[in-house]
């Protein structure tokens, strides 16, 4: 019996899908604990590419129980759309369950998300995915949210949707000058979706607890990443949930001691979507080459990602706040042919002092200059390497140095997009 959490260790899009898929292959239960359809996992399995947003990756395995926990925010139309698309490709949903307590993304959430972004000055835009994530979590904490339980109980839903919808329309029209949501139409559409979701509703906390008691292998599938965490990320350029490992326990309704292994997934370089300071960002041809070679364009939005060198300061922060037991370094192959490789080992502050730990505010982060160490690059195609020893010496040195700087074992090295293109280190 064991349970493993897979967590994004940087700003997201680290290729968690692939690591998740490897762990999911051995898991009897896969749980999503936070976030919503702002996430996008690409899983390549047997030559087929699957883009998953909210459905746990375990769905690609016939007998895996797939759970969506209470910490998730669920857009019902999108969720049903995802189910329909995957069903058409022969995937079965018999083993999917969603917690009654998961909050529902309503049309006013997506609308307010977009309107509030539009109303922010250019230098204060968060660059959200526009999926209503922040406003939905805000309502949850303001205790005016609508949960799956409400949605599948029409009388409760009608009443809540009318009262809350009216208030939200005031905000939409009076504060933002937007067009109000048609509440009656929304109620009708959502009740139809609720009818489809009914069969999936369950108490996920109980199911995870029972699975653990029965000695089953569990995987907690993270979404977003450490630096997008509402507390431990680069606030306010973050998402509104807890992608760090503690969010796994909160969002699925188990104690923190229910997680045995915590794998942080990082890329061999750094990327981020949206705004906010990014010390190792590259604005030159090397950055563009990394973007093109690494296909660094958002799964959910298609936006080009910002690219930069590997930042060990970020990873040390990640190791600490998540309690990582190991790191999976992905996309090492992307660095082939770009010349010497740089790793940021610490930051230099404006007064010339050296900072070795990630600063708590973006104001401080924006002032930090990366201090680099330069390592020899490599030109080889490493896509066929399956053991660490098969990697060119320069790759081995890069991984070993990264491991030293992050003070955490690197247990996996990704050498290409396919599920098989990964080196598992002892
Ligand atoms: P939101 O989650 O849509 O509110 O967006 C807040 C910030 O998190 C934005 O910078 C998004 O680009 C970023 N974000 C949200 N989900 C993901 C993800 O799955 N990968 C990478 N960035 C994300």
């Amino acid at each position: 019996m064991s349970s493993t959490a897979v967590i994004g260790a940087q700003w997201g899009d680290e290729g968690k899908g692939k690591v998740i898929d490897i762990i999911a292959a051995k898991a009897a239960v896969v749980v999503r604990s936070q976030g919503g359809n702002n996430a996008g996992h690409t899983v390549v399995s047997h030559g087929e590419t699957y883009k998953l947003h909210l459905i746990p990756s375990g769905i690609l395995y016939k007998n895996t129980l797939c759970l969506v926990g209470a910490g998730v925010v669920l857009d019902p139309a999108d969720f049903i759309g995802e189910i329909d698309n995957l069903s058409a490709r022969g995937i079965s949903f018999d083993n999917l369950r969603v917690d009654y307590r998961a909050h529902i993304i309503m049309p006013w959430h997506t609308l307010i998300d977009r309107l509030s972004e539009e109303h922010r000055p250019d230098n204060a835009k968060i660059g959200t995915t526009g999926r209503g994530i922040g406003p939905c979590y805000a309502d949850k904490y303001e205790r005016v949210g609508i949960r799956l339980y409400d949605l599948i109980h029409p009388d409760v839903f009608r009443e809540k949707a009318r009262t809350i919808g009216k208030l939200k329309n005031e905000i939409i029209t009076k504060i933002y000058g937007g067009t109000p949501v048609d509440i009656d139409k929304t109620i009708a559409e959502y009740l139809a979706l609720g009818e489809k979701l009914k069969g999936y509703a369950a108490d996920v906390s109980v199911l995870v607890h029972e699975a653990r008691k029965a000695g089953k292998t569990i995987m907690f599938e993270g979404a977003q990443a450490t630096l997008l965490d509402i507390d431990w990320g680069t606030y306010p350029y973050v998402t509104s949930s807890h992608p760090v490992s503690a969010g796994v326990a909160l969002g699925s309704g188990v104690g923190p001691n229910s997680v045995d292994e915590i794998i942080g997934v990082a890329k061999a370089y750094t990327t981020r979507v949206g705004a906010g300071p990014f010390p190792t960002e590259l604005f030159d041809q090397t950055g563009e080459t990394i973007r093109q070679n690494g296909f660094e364009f958002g799964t959910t939005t298609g936006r080009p990602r910002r690219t930069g060198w590997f930042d060990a300061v970020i990873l040390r922060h990640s190791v600490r706040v998540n309690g990582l037991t190991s790191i999976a370094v992905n996309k090492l192959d992307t660095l082939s042919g770009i010349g010497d490789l740089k790793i940021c080992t610490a930051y230099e502050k404006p007064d010339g002092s050296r900072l070795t730990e990630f600063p708590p505010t973006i104001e401080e982060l924006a002032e930090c200059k990366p201090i680099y160490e330069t390592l020899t690059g490599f030109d080889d195609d490493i896509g066929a390497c399956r053991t660490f020893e098969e990697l060119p010496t320069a790759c081995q040195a890069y991984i070993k140095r990264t491991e030293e700087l992050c003070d955490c074992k690197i247990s996996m090295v990704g050498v290409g997009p396919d599920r098989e293109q990964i080196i598992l280190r002892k």
Side-chain angles (χ1 to χ4, degrees):
M1 173 185 82
S2 73
S3 70
T4 307
V6 182
I7 305 291
Q10 297 160 315
W11 268 298
D13 314 307
E14 297 93 347
K16 287 186 294 294
K18 194 163 96 176
V19 177
I20 282 169
D21 197 38
I22 289 169
I23 313 281
K26 294 185 216 132
V29 184
V30 176
V31 196
R32 256 296 292 271
S33 322
Q34 45 69 228
N37 56 335
N38 48 348
H41 290 163
T42 306
V43 181
V44 183
S45 177
H46 298 109
E48 289 270 322
T49 301
Y50 298 92
K51 293 198 171 181
L52 305 172
H53 294 284
L54 194 51
I55 307 281
S57 335
I59 210 70
L60 303 179
Y61 298 94
K62 221 169 72 203
N63 299 317
T64 306
L65 180 60
C66 290
L67 305 175
V68 177
V72 162
V73 288
L74 188 135
D75 182 318
D78 225 73
F79 193 65
I80 296 291
E82 208 172 333
I83 293 178
D84 289 347
N85 282 338
L86 291 167
S87 296
R89 294 174 73 182
I91 308 285
S92 156
F93 286 87
D94 293 349
N95 292 329
L96 177 68
R97 301 287 178 274
V98 184
D99 199 286
Y100 292 113
R101 305 164 185 89
H103 278 250
I104 300 296
I105 298 178
M106 299 296 297
W108 45 84
H109 294 138
T110 28
L111 193 53
I112 292 174
D113 192 0
R114 285 173 200 164
L115 289 170
S116 69
E117 272 287 90
E118 274 167 36
H119 278 71
R120 286 172 200 268
D122 273 353
N123 61 359
K125 290 194 194 301
I126 305 289
T128 74
T129 59
R131 302 292 197 272
I133 307 295
C136 185
Y137 277 114
D139 279 2
K140 163 172 164 164
Y141 287 99
E142 212 185 337
R143 291 152 297 178
V144 291
I146 295 178
R147 310 201 286 179
L148 178 61
Y149 180 90
D150 306 326
L151 181 62
I152 61 176
H153 290 83
D155 291 341
V156 180
F157 179 73
R158 262 188 225 103
E159 156 107 39
K160 286 200 176 180
R162 284 222 172 87
T163 322
I164 299 164
K166 213 170 136 205
L167 283 172
K168 296 292 164 182
N169 273 343
E170 294 274 303
I171 297 171
I172 290 164
T173 53
K174 300 215 171 112
I175 297 187
Y176 295 118
T179 313
V181 172
D182 182 333
I183 295 175
D184 286 335
K185 189 164 159 255
T186 299
I187 291 175
E189 282 170 6
Y190 269 62
L191 285 178
L193 291 163
E195 200 48 47
K196 293 187 180 173
L197 284 170
K198 219 179 193 166
Y200 301 113
D203 191 325
V204 164
S205 166
V206 172
L207 295 176
V208 180
H209 183 69
E210 282 172 354
R212 190 136 168 102
K213 273 199 353 200
K216 295 194 173 153
T217 305
I218 303 170
M219 185 191 71
F220 297 98
E221 171 180 329
Q224 289 84 45
T226 305
L227 290 187
L228 293 172
D229 186 276
I230 189 83
D231 284 323
W232 302 103
T234 42
Y235 190 88
Y237 299 105
V238 291
T239 191
S240 301
S241 67
H242 284 296
V244 296
S245 62
V248 158
L250 271 177
S252 47
V254 292
N257 56 350
S258 296
V259 189
D260 305 315
E261 298 270 329
I262 305 166
I263 303 177
V265 187
K267 278 189 241 205
Y269 47 93
T270 313
T271 63
R272 82 164 300 182
V273 192
F278 176 176
T280 64
E281 184 165 13
L282 287 165
F283 299 96
D284 58 4
Q285 187 52 43
T286 305
E288 189 52 35
T289 307
I290 292 176
R291 182 159 34 250
Q292 295 301 331
N293 292 356
F295 309 106
E296 295 298 350
F297 299 89
T299 315
T300 302
T301 57
R303 286 184 287 181
R305 297 179 186 138
R306 300 159 66 194
T307 55
W309 293 117
F310 187 87
D311 186 336
V313 184
I314 291 178
L315 259 291
R316 285 198 294 270
H317 172 78
S318 236
V319 168
R320 176 169 31 80
V321 302
N322 291 298
L324 298 184
T325 54
S326 74
I327 299 173
V329 172
N330 256 327
K331 294 190 139 182
L332 184 60
D333 53 301
T334 301
L335 299 182
S336 174
I338 64 165
D340 281 349
L341 305 176
K342 289 187 180 173
I343 299 182
C344 169
T345 57
Y347 299 145
E348 188 186 300
K349 299 217 290 183
D351 64 4
S353 63
R354 194 182 163 94
L355 193 63
T356 52
E357 298 301 337
F358 198 69
T361 67
I362 53 161
E363 287 76 15
E364 283 166 277
L365 186 65
E367 291 185 330
C368 287
K369 300 251 172 322
I371 300 173
Y372 287 119
E373 197 171 290
T374 304
L375 280 83
T376 311
F378 60 98
D379 295 321
D380 319 61
D381 177 354
I382 57 169
C385 297
R386 292 293 174 274
T387 64
F388 189 68
E389 292 66 34
E390 283 174 70
L391 284 172
T393 323
C395 288
Q396 294 189 24
Y398 186 77
I399 293 295
K400 283 186 184 154
R401 184 64 185 135
T402 305
E403 197 165 39
E404 265 169 26
L405 289 167
C406 303
D407 194 22
C408 186
K409 182 186 159 72
I410 294 178
S411 56
M412 300 184 194
V413 181
V415 293
D418 212 52
R419 181 153 68 165
E420 291 71 35
Q421 290 183 294
I422 195 149
I423 294 171
L424 305 178
R425 286 178 83 207
K426 305 238 159 43

